Amino acid sequence: MTQAAFLDEVKWNSEGLVPAIAQDARSGRILMMAWMNREALCLTIEKREAVYWSRSRNKLWHKGETSGHQQSVEEIRLDCDGDVIVLQVQQKGGIACHTGRESCFYRVLRDGEWQAADPVLKAPEDIYGA
């Protein structure tokens, strides 16, 4: 299958993006969700490291480029509708979230409130600087 053919099977949204979920390949834990455009997906395949599209910065974002917490990609899956990608990754440093936690999904709904359930493994200022 040519590169264009597999890219054409992805249902990109009106901005040319698709949600991408990073999942720890060993534990199965969902680490984070980000967006990919065609170039990000192609670079992820080429580098075998996660590359996303930052909507806030309007540019490609190589996960870990500032934090050092890259994601080595073991497998890439596309869901049945073709509109969500799952990356099976090895998370370097054990931290995927910019808050210094293992996962971006660290809050749990308890008694009608979102409560932090996972510890900060490393302070964000120690990861990114002041």
Side-chain angles (χ1 to χ4, degrees):
M1 186 178 291
T2 66
Q3 184 179 43
F6 81 80
L7 288 172
D8 291 342
E9 290 186 50
V10 177
K11 291 183 184 167
W12 309 95
N13 71 12
S14 61
E15 286 106 30
L17 302 174
V18 66
I21 297 167
Q23 182 178 32
D24 186 284
R26 303 291 180 266
S27 70
R29 180 152 192 209
I30 301 298
L31 300 176
M32 58 175 280
M33 179 273 177
W35 295 93
M36 288 183 147
N37 63 8
R38 287 174 179 253
E39 186 178 5
L41 180 54
C42 288
L43 286 169
T44 296
I45 293 165
E46 177 187 317
K47 295 177 178 291
R48 301 304 294 173
E49 288 192 348
V51 177
Y52 301 106
W53 177 257
S54 171
R55 295 181 305 162
S56 61
R57 292 177 279 174
N58 202 36
K59 68 174 199 159
L60 289 171
W61 158 44
H62 185 161
K63 175 68 175 160
E65 64 193 356
T66 55
S67 68
H69 300 138
Q70 295 94 356
Q71 293 173 340
S72 297
V73 176
E74 293 187 6
E75 185 176 67
I76 301 171
R77 291 182 178 235
L78 183 64
D79 79 325
C80 59
D81 294 324
D83 60 1
V84 179
I85 289 174
V86 173
L87 304 177
Q88 296 287 319
V89 303
Q90 283 189 31
Q91 179 64 57
K92 298 198 176 145
I95 297 172
C97 185
H98 74 280
T99 66
R101 291 176 173 87
E102 175 188 18
S103 170
C104 293
F105 297 94
Y106 64 88
R107 294 185 284 185
V108 175
L109 185 61
R110 291 187 186 129
D111 300 322
E113 294 181 14
W114 293 109
Q115 298 178 9
D118 297 345
V120 173
L121 301 175
K122 190 171 187 180
E125 55 271 14
D126 293 339
I127 297 171
Y128 303 103

